Amino acid sequence: MIKEFREFITKGNVLDLAIAVVMGAAFGKIVSSLVDNIIIPLIEILLGGINVSSLTIKVGNAVLKYGLFVQAVIDFLIISFAIFMFMKVANSLIRKKQATEEEVLEAVPASEQYLKEIRDLLQKNARQDETS
């Protein structure tokens, strides 16, 4: 069991995931700082000096702190936009790489290309047999 765990933990996917979690946490702190220290103060200036995070509504004995919710929504929108832009750039780079690979494939003689396709199909079938 220890050997299997060691193999699992040292696989590239697990390490990539761990790095992504750490980077995501750091990115979240940066975005929160951007919202808290730059965007919210600008919004407060536009609202005439009203502190957004202190906006509340009293309903009976309950106090609804909707200002904190507004701030969280702004955080979410900024993070979502940043991820969208990152994915847009990443997809663009992937498409360029695929186009380059297709150009290389077109330069390969048809017989070699057929042999490569057969090899890929055999590898795919072998992997499916291993997982079954």
Side-chain angles (χ1 to χ4, degrees):
M1 186 185 319
I2 293 173
K3 182 180 176 185
E4 288 180 55
F5 179 71
R6 187 179 323 131
E7 289 175 11
F8 170 76
I9 203 75
T10 57
K11 283 185 180 177
N13 294 342
V14 174
L15 295 174
D16 291 344
L17 179 61
I19 291 168
V21 167
V22 171
M23 293 295 292
F27 183 70
K29 287 181 182 180
I30 290 170
V31 171
S32 292
S33 177
L34 172 69
V35 170
D36 293 342
N37 300 315
I38 297 175
I39 295 175
I40 294 297
L42 291 174
I43 291 173
E44 290 172 356
I45 289 170
L46 294 174
L47 294 176
I50 297 173
N51 183 353
V52 174
S53 62
S54 66
L55 296 175
T56 60
I57 295 177
K58 188 167 184 169
V59 179
N61 291 333
V63 177
L64 305 176
K65 298 179 181 180
Y66 71 93
L68 294 173
F69 175 74
V70 169
Q71 195 165 347
V73 169
I74 293 170
D75 277 348
F76 171 77
L77 292 173
I78 292 171
I79 291 171
S80 299
F81 182 73
I83 291 171
F84 169 75
M85 293 305 293
F86 174 78
M87 290 307 298
K88 191 171 174 96
V89 169
N91 287 336
S92 172
L93 294 174
I94 289 170
R95 280 192 291 273
K96 284 182 184 178
K97 182 179 177 185
Q98 287 175 343
T100 303
E101 289 173 356
E102 288 174 5
E103 290 172 5
V104 169
L105 283 177
E106 290 172 1
V108 175
S111 59
E112 279 188 47
Q113 191 169 350
Y114 292 136
L115 289 172
K116 287 181 181 181
E117 290 175 8
I118 291 169
R119 179 202 61 206
D120 293 342
L121 287 171
L122 289 171
Q123 288 175 344
K124 180 181 176 184
N125 288 339
R127 277 189 240 120
Q128 287 176 347
D129 290 342
E130 290 175 1
T131 58
S132 302

